Amino acid sequence: MCGIIGYTGSQRSVPILIDGLRTLEYRGYDSAGIAVRQGDGISIVKAKGRLDRLASLLDSRADLTGGCGIGHTRWATHGEPSDRNSHPHATERLALVHNGIIENYAELEEMLRLQGYTFDSETDTERAAKLVDLYYRETSDPVKAIFKAAALIRGSYAFGVIYADIPNKIYAMRRDSPLIVAQSKDGGLIASDIPAILRHTHSYYRLQEGVVAELNGECVKFYDSNLHSIDQPAEQVDWDVEQAQKGGYPHFMLKEIFEEPDSLRKTIAPRIVDGLPHFGVEQLDGDFFARFEGIHIIACGTAMHAGIIGKSIIEKLARVPVNVEIASEFRYRDPILRKNDLVILISQSGETADTLAALRHAKAQGIYTLAIVNVIGSSVAREADSVIYTWAGPEIAVASTKAYSVQLSILYLFALRLALLEGTMTEDEVRAVCARMLEEIPAAVEKAIAMSDRVRDIARAYMNAEHLFYIGRNVDYDLCVEGSLKLKEISYIHSEAYASGELKHGTISLITDGVPVIALTTISHVCEKTISGIREVISRGARVLSICSESLADKYQIPYSDQLIVPEVDELLSPFPTVTLLQLFAYHVSALKGYDVDKPRNLAKSVTVE
Ligand code: M6R
């Protein structure tokens, strides 16, 4: 996910572009850049790092007075964050910004090289810029050039283009990536999202696919592929800037939970090739990992909780022993690492100090390290021997949600890959699970999201609790640990997760009249055992919210005071919709209490200190 802005009009474009990019920084923040039509050409300023770095470079560029320009804030997908890979990408004829992923960029590069083009960056975007350049050279028609280029591109894109020999005009086109177009009293704008235009106008056009927009500062024209001018209906915004940046959601956390189906699709789909798990990492796709005798998963917080589920799934499917550790403990514990062990680091940010230290500790002992990371080019990603990226897009809320879900999906695929290597599953069995992951996971998570209002109604009955317990067995217990962390960190309710078989060893003494207990029951072979645990707490007066799968609710009498039925999914995949319900529960409790859900007290999104 990246952010695009463009302005052409009577004002100086630089401050308008920077101002617009600030509202889009949530879409990506590893580098930023602008291109401004200036004199007879185009001037470009771009830099790796946060937008502030670009802004300070531009402080000394009072010479950039042009009223037509495009800007970009990047979240790397092809090529690490660097000055070179930052957008805009340019030729002597044009500059282009892009949001999306061009799948056939390697093919396009080959074709462009035959035409004499060379490349400076690793980005798919530079290939697109040169493709438009090729057709502009050929046709001298700015709209036709974009259509011709688009016809060859596979994948998703939103483009903003300015041409060196066309003063004051911006061109835009999109497919599967958002882009809006607007006309204000002092100029035309393009943007990835509504907040970027709100200072100028509340009226905008949602650019249709297959249409090129041309903005000249005074009006906007839309062209279809026959180059005929067409009309598009204008829409009105009635949100304020803050709300709009969250896409109309009251908090980033809710928005990010709602993004889970999409993040899961983006993470899973490219990793299943010919029906089998495939990571696009040479070592991972060969039999390299067959030589590992033991696996250590090291991470912090929610990422570590994803590791706990990973352990259950890897051990179940591949029968390879897995040790999960908290990074801050691992680094000082002098852990036993054998030369044929593998250390997997999981991190959303890739900058967590303890996780990074654990990685360095493992490497110093010659142990092979594999990182599962969301932020491309982050420290953990750079330093690990191999990296698998989770493609969740930027996560802004301190409480991690969609990042956890995609981390789980990678661990499942990893477990399946390992099961093939270890011979614990046949190819057909692995194919069957892969097919289900693609079909069932995003669909079930969507259904869980659709239960949000019901979860909120139930949350109302639990929001004033002082203490709350989560119980479950097996993978349900693993999920309880994450559900409990989510609730504590944003609602400040004291909560504990217990394997329900442990209750009788102490915790049950805390259960008195009205104490809330959330009981997970999605795993059939331990269902009756969990039910016994539920009966035990109910007989001591607990109020039980049962979160159970439909099939188990049909088969067994699961006692409850309140009930949420997990959307039906193959039992192996039940953690995905179940965790979404737990995240929604924590979210609604915190929101109902009126807390600052996205920025809970004492916490930071990225913990880069010990
Ligand atoms: O960026 P990381 O995934 O390495 O962060 C690890 C933890 O700090 C993080 O998961 C934290 O526990 C979250 N606030 C939980 O929601």
Side-chain angles (χ1 to χ4, degrees), residues 49 88 188 251 420 425 443 556 584:
H251 300 100
L420 267 183
M425 286 175 82
Y556 299 97
L584 284 169

Side-chain angles (χ1 to χ4, degrees), residues 73-137:
T73 179
R74 181 170 185 244
W75 181 260
T77 56
H78 291 70
E80 60 170 21
S82 66
D83 293 355
R84 229 165 18 94
N85 287 336
S86 309
H87 301 210
H89 287 278
T91 66
E92 63 188 43
R93 275 170 282 272
L94 60 87
L96 176 146
V97 285
H98 166 224
N99 170 33
I101 294 180
I102 296 172
E103 287 158 13
N104 59 334
Y105 73 96
E107 248 169 60
L108 297 175
E109 172 176 331
E110 221 176 287
M111 179 274 238
L112 287 162
R113 280 192 191 278
L114 294 175
Q115 300 290 330
Y117 284 94
T118 56
F119 298 90
D120 305 319
S121 77
E122 298 143 71
T123 62
D124 51 345
T125 306
E126 189 188 2
R127 280 70 190 159
K130 293 195 168 157
L131 195 62
V132 178
D133 184 89
L134 173 73
Y135 291 122
Y136 190 51
R137 225 170 58 184

Side-chain angles (χ1 to χ4, degrees), residues 88 167 265 279 438 446 497:
R265 272 188 206 100
F279 293 101
L438 272 173
E446 255 154 29

Side-chain angles (χ1 to χ4, degrees), residues 300-303 346-350 352 355 398-400 485-486 489 607:
C300 301
T302 287
I346 308 179
S347 176
Q348 187 286 129
S349 62
T352 302
T355 309
V398 164
S400 188
L485 170 63
K486 214 84 308 170
E489 74 174 321
V607 188

